[in-house]
Amino acid sequence: MAESSEAPPEETTPPPSQVPPAKSSTKRRGFISPTSSFVDFTELKTEYYSDEGYQLAPSYNPHVGRRIKKPITDFETCTHLLKGSIGAGILAMPKGFYHAGIITGFIGTILLTASVIYAIDTLIRMQYIQCKRLQVPFLTLPRSMKIGLLNGPRCLRKLAWIAPIIVDFFLVAYQLGTCTAYVIFIGQSMKHIAEPRLVENLDLRIYLLIIFVPVVLINYIRNLKRLTPVSFVANILTIIAFSSCFYYIFCVGPFKYEETNLVSSVTTWPLFIGVVLFAINAFGVIIALEHHMVTPAHFLGCKGIFPWSLLTVMCLYIMVGFFGYVKYGKSIDETIIASLPRNEWLSLTIEGVYAICIYGSYPLQCFVSLEIIWGNYLVKFIKDPNKECCIEYLMRTIVVIVTFMGATLIPHVDIAVSLVGAFCLSTLGMVFPFLLEMCTLWPDQLGCCYYVVIKDICFIILGFSILILGTYISLYTVITT
């Protein structure tokens, strides 16, 4: 008997037999919650579905069995989600519209946002179905992919053992790539503000060196609960910065309609797609937030926090992309803020304020990669628990160093954003969710004429196409710039 894939029900108190005991451990796991989104804490008797699991699935609610050290409320979830989605990506939207054209940019942003919402919704619901079948309150994404492949089509089962490593790789690459783009923007903002008022023509690497220690220190914040005030203040500063930015767009100087294209060259569309995927799809933050909620049933659905937050973000992105492009035309810089006048105190203040916002978002974006590296690959090799704290902070410092190294190699925000979006989010946001759906619903829940398989294969092919074309064009642009 297979269970329905309808929306998760509201939480109710289950009998004690439904709440599995937490995995006991004497090792301190640092900042990681016992129901971490990316680190396994639940021991399974088997990773294969059973007839008993199918029979018990309809009566089991995984949400109730979760045990979270420091859960976050709906308001805190919304705050983190908005801040995690409104970062460096939105600044590159006018450049994205430049690569796509006005009509292509407008329609493309809507379609890509819809696909992101649908993909994340599909991913979380498939994990929910797996949890019900296995009678566990929580499964990480790497474990879900492994379980899906083990129980899916026979031709995919041999790939199950490597699935967790591949998922972890793309998650870490995406989050660190995001942090790299943040570091580039902060360094460039400092350069624009300081030159030529304080110094002349300093290399960007000098400014990166100046901000290195502050970034390391804020990255020492170890849980989402303590990051809520940082995200809340950053959201307020973002509103102030964009209000002033719109002042320049609508009230200072003429629009350059004649310099815009309704449809740009198809060869530059992958750059636009990469920018939008990066801007819209804060994948790791989204998954982590859902798994840390007090009421995870409020996350999805027609009235859910996730779809409405992302639709709000999409409207803001379209406004910034469209009006920023028609305002500056061919002269649009790699970010909208960099296109503002360089000799006015208001524009410089906007750039400084937004740099502070991005700085406040850095630990939130880095959170996922730290969880994965620490919980899945590092902590098990530490024999002395007394050394764990020092090693954890050393790891955090090294991660920051990696992002700064990336910033020195690709010192352009728009190219870094497009590369990360095309390389990582095409897989995380399209390939993995629909591969998981096909495997989870295999073999008897695939719909009439196997339409689920056809749909999922189409999305998987689209994801791989974006991965190959977007990555190639982004790297080619870096080399030739």
Side-chain angles (χ1 to χ4, degrees):
M1 178 179 177
E3 78 283 357
S4 172
S5 59
E6 296 179 354
E10 295 290 335
E11 287 85 343
T12 56
T13 303
S17 60
Q18 284 193 6
V19 183
K23 180 181 177 180
S24 60
S25 175
T26 58
K27 293 183 70 64
R28 189 186 64 83
R29 297 186 179 270
F31 59 99
I32 300 173
S33 167
T35 54
S36 166
S37 305
F38 306 99
V39 180
D40 283 315
F41 288 92
T42 304
E43 291 183 338
L44 299 178
K45 295 181 179 179
T46 178
E47 293 180 323
Y48 292 93
Y49 305 142
S50 64
D51 292 338
E52 182 183 4
Y54 278 108
Q55 294 173 358
L56 296 176
S59 61
Y60 180 76
N61 184 0
H63 291 167
V64 180
R66 293 182 182 178
R67 294 293 179 263
I68 304 173
K69 283 182 180 178
K70 298 178 181 179
I72 54 178
T73 64
D74 289 2
F75 173 76
E76 291 171 332
T77 301
C78 186
T79 299
H80 284 313
L81 186 57
L82 291 175
K83 190 67 215 82
S85 299
I86 302 177
I90 191 172
L91 303 178
M93 283 300 295
K95 192 71 172 183
F97 269 64
Y98 168 80
H99 291 308
I102 293 176
I103 294 178
T104 310
F106 185 83
I107 297 175
T109 303
I110 295 176
L111 292 178
L112 287 170
T113 303
S115 69
V116 168
I117 293 175
Y118 180 56
I120 298 297
D121 182 275
T122 299
L123 176 66
I124 294 176
R125 289 179 186 275
M126 292 306 106
Q127 286 189 296
Y128 183 79
I129 291 175
Q130 288 183 332
C131 288
K132 294 179 70 176
R133 291 176 180 175
L134 296 173
Q135 300 288 289
V136 293
F138 175 83
L139 286 172
T140 65
L141 178 57
R143 176 67 73 86
S144 287
M145 289 301 303
K146 180 182 179 182
I147 292 172
L149 291 172
L150 283 175
N151 294 276
R154 186 177 299 274
C155 59
L156 298 177
R157 292 175 187 175
K158 293 183 179 180
L159 301 176
W161 70 272
I162 200 174
I165 299 174
I166 295 176
V167 174
D168 282 344
F169 168 77
F170 279 103
L171 283 169
V172 171
Y174 163 60
Q175 298 300 152
L176 295 187
T178 300
C179 293
T180 298
Y182 284 10
V183 167
I184 297 170
F185 177 78
I186 297 171
Q188 288 183 344
S189 297
M190 289 189 63
K191 184 177 177 67
H192 295 160
I193 294 172
E195 299 177 2
R197 296 158 192 84
L198 301 177
V199 293
E200 293 282 350
N201 298 324
L202 278 182
D203 192 285
L204 178 62
R205 288 171 290 188
I206 302 298
Y207 295 98
L208 294 178
L209 184 62
I210 293 173
I211 65 174
F212 175 74
V213 172
V215 172
V216 169
L217 292 177
I218 197 172
N219 201 43
Y220 285 167
I221 299 177
R222 296 167 51 185
N223 63 67
L224 289 177
K225 194 76 173 179
R226 293 177 182 174
L227 288 175
T228 299
V230 176
S231 293
F232 183 74
V233 172
N235 283 340
I236 295 175
L237 293 177
T238 299
I239 295 173
I240 296 173
F242 271 103
S243 298
S244 303
C245 191
F246 282 129
Y247 162 76
Y248 275 101
I249 292 176
F250 293 109
C251 302
V252 179
F255 287 94
K256 299 180 180 179
Y257 299 101
E258 68 282 358
E259 296 185 8
T260 60
N261 297 319
L262 293 179
V263 180
S264 296
S265 172
V266 177
T267 58
T268 58
W269 285 10
L271 293 174
F272 161 76
I273 294 173
V275 168
V276 174
L277 286 178
F278 179 94
I280 290 289
N281 195 353
F283 186 88
V285 174
I286 291 170
I287 299 299
L289 290 176
E290 191 274 342
H291 287 155
H292 283 80
M293 287 183 66
V294 176
T295 54
H298 296 173
F299 193 73
L300 299 178
C302 296
K303 298 181 181 180
I305 294 172
F306 167 63
W308 282 104
S309 296
L310 219 60
L311 288 174
T312 301
V313 170
M314 180 198 73
C315 294
L316 181 58
Y317 282 7
I318 291 177
M319 288 180 60
V320 173
F322 173 79
F323 289 111
Y325 179 42
V326 300
K327 177 67 176 183
Y328 297 103
K330 295 180 180 178
S331 61
I332 185 70
D333 211 324
E334 56 188 78
T335 67
I336 181 62
I337 290 181
S339 303
L340 302 179
R342 298 285 178 82
N343 57 351
E344 297 184 14
W345 69 269
L346 180 57
S347 61
L348 294 175
T349 302
I350 294 173
E351 190 161 12
V353 167
Y354 205 82
I356 295 174
C357 297
I358 296 297
Y359 172 73
S361 299
Y362 186 99
L364 180 63
Q365 294 291 349
C366 203
F367 182 85
V368 172
S369 57
L370 292 169
E371 274 198 318
I372 294 172
I373 296 170
W374 174 261
N376 289 344
Y377 300 98
L378 188 59
V379 72
K380 59 186 176 183
F381 294 109
I382 303 173
K383 304 302 181 182
D384 185 357
N386 296 323
K387 296 180 180 179
E388 287 187 15
C389 186
C390 294
I391 295 176
E392 180 184 323
Y393 282 113
L394 177 61
M395 173 199 67
R396 289 170 172 269
T397 305
I398 293 174
V399 164
V400 174
I401 292 174
V402 171
T403 61
F404 274 73
M405 291 175 60
T408 60
L409 295 174
I410 308 176
H412 303 284
V413 175
D414 59 329
I415 302 302
V417 163
S418 180
L419 178 60
V420 173
F423 180 72
C424 299
L425 293 175
S426 58
T427 51
L428 292 172
M430 288 190 180
V431 175
F432 292 160
F434 296 105
L435 178 61
L436 182 63
E437 181 183 43
M438 182 172 61
C439 292
T440 302
L441 300 183
W442 184 272
D444 56 355
Q445 291 183 275
L446 299 175
C448 179
C449 300
Y450 293 94
Y451 83 91
V452 173
V453 175
I454 298 173
K455 175 203 66 175
D456 290 342
I457 290 177
C458 289
F459 272 106
I460 291 170
I461 293 174
L462 176 62
F464 277 119
S465 300
I466 295 173
L467 169 66
I468 296 170
L469 293 176
T471 301
Y472 170 76
I473 293 177
S474 297
L475 290 176
Y476 178 79
T477 304
V478 171
I479 296 171
T480 56
T481 299

